[in-house]
Amino acid sequence: MRLPQPRPEVLDIAAYVPGESAAPGSNRVIKLSSNEGAFGPPPSAVAAAVRASADLQRYPDGGSTELRRAIGARYHLDPARIVCGTGSDELIQHLASVYGGPGTDVLTTMHAFSMYQIAGTYAGSRVLKVPERELCADVDLLLAAVTPATRIVFLANPNNPTGTFVVPSEVARLRGGLPEDVLLVLDGAYAEYIDRPDYDAGVAMVDATGNTVMLRTFSKAWGLGGARVGWMYAPPAIVDAIGRVRGAFNVALPAQAAAVAALAEPGWIERSRDHNLRAREQLVDGLRELGLTVYPSEANFVLADFGTADRARETFAGLKARGIILRMTAGYDLPHCLRITVGLDDEVAAVLDALREHLHG
Ligand SMILES: *Cc1c(COP(=O)(O)O)cnc(C)c1O
C-alpha cells in the first residue's frame, strides 16, 4: 500500500519550535521565552473579547473592517491598504506563496526569524540564508546574493532572535539596490518598542514604492499573542493578490474585538515602551555584570552569549528548574546563546538572581 506522500520540500521543513511554557515542579513560572508583552493583555481588550464571545455562533467580519479602520486611524493609514491576518505568520505564508514558488529564490539572513524559511520552503522556493555581520543583516551581503531568480527579501527589523537593527538609511539602500520585481517585506513585529527619531517601520517606503510591504502584529507590545492578530500595509496590487488567497474569515470574532479595544486603550504603548527601555537596560547591565556578552537590542528581548552550547543548555535547564523559562536559540544557529524576554521589574530581578546563582553558585 502506498500512503499519501507530502511534497518532498515539506519534509525539508523543521517545524517551528515555540518558546517553552511549562516548568514542572515550580509553583510560580516566569515565562520569558516568547517575547510576549510584559504587562499582559490590555484589560479593555479582554473585556471586549468576552463580550464578543456572546455571538460566537456568528462568522466574524471576513474583511476585519472595523479593525482595519481602527488601525488606519491610529497609524494614519488608508484602511483599504491594510490586510489583517491570523497573526502576521499567516501573512508571511501568503506572501511567500503568492510571490515565490518553484524556481524562485527567497532571501533572508543567517539568524533571521524562522517563519521566513518555513514559508518560503513550503511555497517551493529556494530559501537562501545570507550571512550577517555581527549578528546583523548586512545590505551589501544581501544585495550580493540577488540573482534573476530572487523574488522576495524578508527583513525583520529589529530581528528576532538577535534584536539587532538595520538603520533606516541602510534599509533605503537595500530597497534602492534590489530589482523592481523583488518584494521587500519589512517585518516590524517589535516596532512599538522602538524609540528612535529616525525610525519608520516601513510606512514611508510602502507609500513610495510599489514593491514593499510592512508587517505588524498585536502579539508583542499589544499583549495579544493568544488572539492571533497581525496586519500588513501594502500597495493596492499586493492587497488585491493576498485578498484572493487568505483565509476568508481569518481573524476570529473575539480577536477582532480585542484588537479594536486594545487600540483604544489610552497610553498602553507609551507605557510599554517606557517600561521596556528601562527594564531592558537593567537586564543588559545585569547580564554584563555576570560576565556575559549581550548583543545590542532594540526589541523587548535580549540575546545573551554563554560561550558554548553546553553552557547555554545547562543554563537553560538550571533556570527552568528555578521556574524561569528562557528561549533556546540552537534552531537559529546560535546554540551558545539564550534569548531572554524583558519582563516586569521583579521578573528581570528574578532572572538575574537565578543566573547569578546558577553561574556563580
Ligand atoms: C513574534 C514575531 C512575529 C509575530 O507573529 P504573529 O503571527 O503575529 O504572532 C512576526 N515576526 C517576527 C520577527 C516576530 O518575532
Side-chain angles (χ1 to χ4, degrees):
M1 183 170 68
R2 185 166 156 80
L3 295 170
Q5 297 296 308
R7 288 188 288 122
E9 56 266 44
V10 170
L11 299 180
D12 289 339
I13 295 172
Y16 184 82
V17 182
E20 292 188 24
S21 54
S26 300
N27 31 23
R28 184 188 171 204
V29 173
I30 298 180
K31 181 175 185 294
L32 302 174
S33 57
S34 300
N35 302 340
E36 295 148 337
F39 294 142
S44 60
V46 176
V50 169
R51 272 195 310 276
S53 296
D55 287 324
L56 272 180
Q57 82 281 16
R58 304 269 178 235
Y59 276 93
D61 168 15
S64 299
T65 313
E66 196 189 339
L67 175 55
R68 286 187 300 108
R69 198 179 298 131
I71 294 169
R74 164 111 194 175
Y75 294 102
H76 312 292
L77 303 173
D78 177 2
R81 294 178 58 177
I82 294 169
V83 179
C84 295
T86 315
S88 43
D89 282 357
E90 186 203 3
L91 300 168
I92 292 169
Q93 296 268 1
H94 292 315
L95 288 164
S97 293
V98 168
Y99 293 96
T104 70
D105 284 350
V106 166
L107 301 190
T108 180
T109 64
M110 193 57 103
H111 308 293
F113 184 50
S114 61
M115 280 308 303
Y116 311 143
Q117 184 172 17
I118 293 173
T121 307
Y122 182 31
S125 299
R126 185 173 66 150
V127 179
L128 300 175
K129 293 163 84 172
V130 178
E132 302 179 357
R133 274 191 217 283
E134 288 165 34
L135 295 197
C136 188
D138 180 86
V139 170
D140 292 312
L141 295 175
L142 274 166
L143 291 176
V146 173
T147 70
T150 307
R151 291 291 176 279
I152 311 175
V153 176
F154 281 107
L155 179 69
N157 201 30
N159 182 51
N160 170 17
T162 56
T164 52
F165 183 72
V166 180
V167 297
S169 58
E170 282 295 285
V171 178
R173 198 164 68 80
L174 172 63
R175 178 66 274 177
L178 290 172
E180 288 197 340
D181 66 348
V182 172
L183 176 68
L184 174 60
V185 179
L186 297 175
D187 183 346
Y190 300 95
E192 287 79 5
Y193 288 113
I194 295 190
D195 179 39
R196 297 173 62 117
D198 62 345
Y199 180 70
D200 166 3
V203 170
M205 195 173 284
V206 173
D207 285 340
T209 68
N211 47 19
T212 307
V213 165
M214 174 183 74
L215 292 177
R216 301 287 289 269
T217 182
F218 281 88
S219 298
K220 306 289 160 53
W222 289 106
L224 294 176
R228 312 304 303 123
V229 192
W231 55 282
M232 73 170 192
Y233 179 62
I238 297 175
V239 168
D240 173 74
I242 300 301
R244 292 166 192 267
V245 299
R246 69 169 173 82
F249 301 100
N250 54 356
V251 186
L253 188 68
Q256 291 189 34
V260 168
L263 287 164
E265 178 95 18
W268 185 263
I269 291 301
E270 293 72 13
R271 210 158 61 82
S272 301
R273 185 192 301 130
D274 290 350
H275 165 76
N276 189 61
L277 289 171
R278 202 173 34 72
R280 187 179 66 208
E281 195 176 318
Q282 252 157 34
L283 178 60
V284 168
D285 289 350
L287 292 169
R288 289 194 175 137
E289 276 166 28
L290 291 171
L292 300 167
T293 300
V294 187
Y295 293 89
S297 170
E298 296 281 343
N300 70 330
F301 59 86
V302 300
L303 187 72
D305 187 337
F306 291 81
T308 67
D310 278 348
R311 196 151 170 254
R313 242 191 329 268
E314 285 160 16
T315 305
F316 176 84
L319 264 68
K320 189 168 162 180
R322 293 169 170 83
I324 299 178
I325 306 174
L326 307 184
R327 178 67 145 89
M328 299 235 264
T329 51
Y332 289 90
D333 287 320
L334 297 165
H336 54 295
C337 295
L338 295 174
R339 193 189 70 194
I340 308 171
T341 302
V342 177
L344 296 169
D345 288 330
D346 64 326
E347 295 172 330
V348 170
V351 75
L352 291 172
D353 284 347
L355 280 170
R356 196 170 300 117
E357 220 175 276
H358 175 80
L359 295 171
H360 303 296

